[in-house]
Amino acid sequence: MANIKLEGLRHSYADNPKNDEDWALKQIDLEWEDGGAYALLGPSGCGKTTLLNIISGLLQPSHGSIKFDDLEVNQISTDKRDIAQIFQFPVVYDTMSVYDNLAFPLRNLGLSEEKVNERVTEIAQLVELTSILTSRASGLTAGDKQKISLGRGLVRTKVNAILFDEPLTVIDPHLKWQLRSKLKKLHKLLNRTMIYVTHDQIEALTFADKVVVMNFGEVLQIGTPVELFEKPKHTFVGHFIGSPGMNILPCKLDGDNTKIGQYIIETASQVTQNHKGKNLEIGVRPEFIKFSDDGLPVSIVKVSNVGHAQIVETSFEGHKIKLIIDEDVVLPSNNVHLSFNKEKTYLYVDSWLV
Ligand code: ATP
């Protein structure tokens, strides 16, 4: 087990990277604490798999270092890094039994059959494969095969981290839910560093204690699910997390006031004159807006009932503003105004939280 530190990491698949877009990873400085349950969350193409493959050693970064407990491992091969990696598609030996699949990494290490048996029995119980240990892997469902991959990842006792690269993509929705809860339980039981890559915010937020949000080859924020919800550091995080995501509205400075159109909007951010001339936006989540007697005048465009609440889409000078209100709130029919909860309304300068 180890702390994993990434310092000044950059990676390009191009031979001669020239533009920003040539870098799959632009600049990553990140520490994964020993025993943490992390999710690496971001849209397709943002660099998640590249980052994972650099940690496991499948890929050499163009720049920067990877350290396990302060020991640089850049030159250490994948098999010597003691990392278990579970991929999107289960990697199993179809001709072998479930038992032999689980035993394979241990036999490779030269363990006695007695020790192999002890460990395989224990892991099979954890991932619920005991009843099919003697079956051949070829006839099993995708879910059972992914459990084998998972078991193989857990079977070695000496593992620095377990990396999951979208492991539930090929699993049907019901089993997905079960496996996800199982992973969370396994983390509590085994206390190993786990990094779970996904583009699905629900998967990330239910699995992880800390979520690392990536986009454009960069880390935009690391935080607990609550931190990401309550105080997004970047407009992308605000918009990507939440359903619906944060409202991001262009604004301007007028003296010390922030204004949307001609209307002063108070925020929790400290405004300074240095912000003048930059791209300024106000971010506020739909949960922190309500109808009021005065405030920003809007028109109601659409109302969706989502069972326990209503999502109301309004419009101000062509900008959409969504709010979530209780299901029993009666919507105003004319003179519709919105007020924002000041403590939860933030100013963003060039997309970053002030
Ligand atoms: P996904 O969720 O779709 O797998 P990701 O977030 O894991 O996406 P990466 O697969 O790391 O993203 O890709 C990051 C960038 O690097 C993308 O622009 C991708 O097209 C590019 N890329 C990835 N692998 C290669 C490769 N082998 N050769 C060239 N470019 C690549």
Side-chain angles (χ1 to χ4, degrees), residues 157-174:
T157 45
K158 193 171 164 254
V159 172
N160 283 319
I162 305 171
L163 315 182
F164 302 93
D165 196 349
E166 310 235 16
L168 304 183
T169 312
V170 293
I171 312 292
D172 73 69
H174 177 63

Side-chain angles (χ1 to χ4, degrees), residues 28-281:
I28 306 274
D29 294 278
L30 192 58
E31 185 165 350
W32 312 88
E33 281 172 29
D34 195 7
Y38 293 96
L40 190 52
L41 174 69
S44 182
C46 74
K48 304 180 298 291
T49 299
T50 304
L51 188 60
L52 223 55
N53 288 345
I54 287 175
I55 296 174
S56 65
L58 290 175
L59 196 63
Q60 273 297 326
S62 313
H63 297 281
S65 71
I66 308 116
K67 290 180 177 166
F68 289 4
D69 281 341
D70 293 326
L71 172 76
E72 184 169 301
V73 298
N74 288 43
Q75 300 313 320
I76 296 180
S77 64
T78 305
D79 54 330
K80 301 238 163 40
R81 289 194 194 182
D82 290 327
I83 293 279
Q85 195 163 357
I86 290 127
F87 299 93
Q88 198 167 22
F89 296 98
V91 182
V92 296
Y93 301 107
D94 267 344
T95 53
M96 289 186 191
S97 66
V98 175
Y99 183 100
D100 287 337
N101 264 284
L102 294 178
F104 192 78
L106 301 176
R107 288 178 178 146
N108 266 352
L109 291 174
L111 260 65
S112 70
E113 276 308 307
E114 193 186 341
K115 281 258 179 299
V116 169
N117 187 43
E118 214 173 89
R119 190 73 186 148
V120 168
T121 308
E122 189 184 339
I123 292 299
Q125 244 167 18
L126 275 183
V127 295
E128 293 170 13
L129 285 172
T130 309
S131 62
I132 53 167
L133 268 178
T134 53
S135 306
R136 254 161 82 110
S138 57
L140 301 178
T141 61
D144 282 337
K145 285 186 179 178
Q146 197 55 309
K147 281 192 198 168
I148 299 176
S149 287
L150 180 60
R152 280 231 310 267
L154 302 174
V155 81
R156 282 179 293 154
T157 45
K158 193 171 164 254
V159 172
N160 283 319
I162 305 171
L163 315 182
F164 302 93
D165 196 349
E166 310 235 16
L168 304 183
T169 312
V170 293
I171 312 292
D172 73 69
H174 177 63
L175 191 64
K176 215 178 216 181
W177 175 254
Q178 283 182 358
L179 278 181
R180 202 161 61 205
S181 324
K182 179 152 270 311
L183 285 183
K184 182 107 190 144
K185 278 191 204 132
L186 284 174
H187 177 260
K188 288 216 164 77
L189 203 69
L190 303 170
N191 211 19
R192 301 245 181 92
T193 309
M194 292 187 177
I195 304 175
Y196 186 103
V197 164
T198 178
H199 60 265
D200 179 332
Q201 58 162 315
I202 309 272
E203 277 188 18
L205 301 177
T206 47
F207 171 74
D209 298 330
K210 282 222 173 137
V211 181
V212 178
V213 186
M214 280 186 78
N215 201 9
F216 327 115
E218 301 180 87
V219 171
L220 301 179
Q221 187 168 359
I222 305 170
T224 63
V226 172
E227 284 164 350
L228 299 179
F229 180 80
E230 298 229 320
K231 211 168 179 185
K233 286 196 175 153
H234 191 278
T235 50
F236 176 81
V237 179
H239 197 67
F240 194 63
I241 287 178
S243 181
M246 189 177 225
N247 295 292
I248 309 289
L249 302 158
C251 70
K252 58 186 183 220
L253 277 191
D254 184 359
D256 288 341
N257 294 319
T258 35
K259 283 185 166 178
I260 294 180
Q262 291 310 310
Y263 298 86
I264 293 175
I265 303 290
E266 291 188 292
T267 71
S269 307
Q270 185 75 39
V271 178
T272 78
Q273 295 311 310
N274 293 341
H275 301 142
K276 270 220 157 104
K278 301 198 170 140
N279 175 31
L280 302 182
E281 289 163 306

Side-chain angles (χ1 to χ4, degrees), residues 11-19 21-24 62:
H11 187 73
S12 175
Y13 290 97
D15 291 335
N16 281 312
K18 291 189 184 82
N19 308 315
E21 307 83 68
D22 295 334
W23 293 91
S62 313

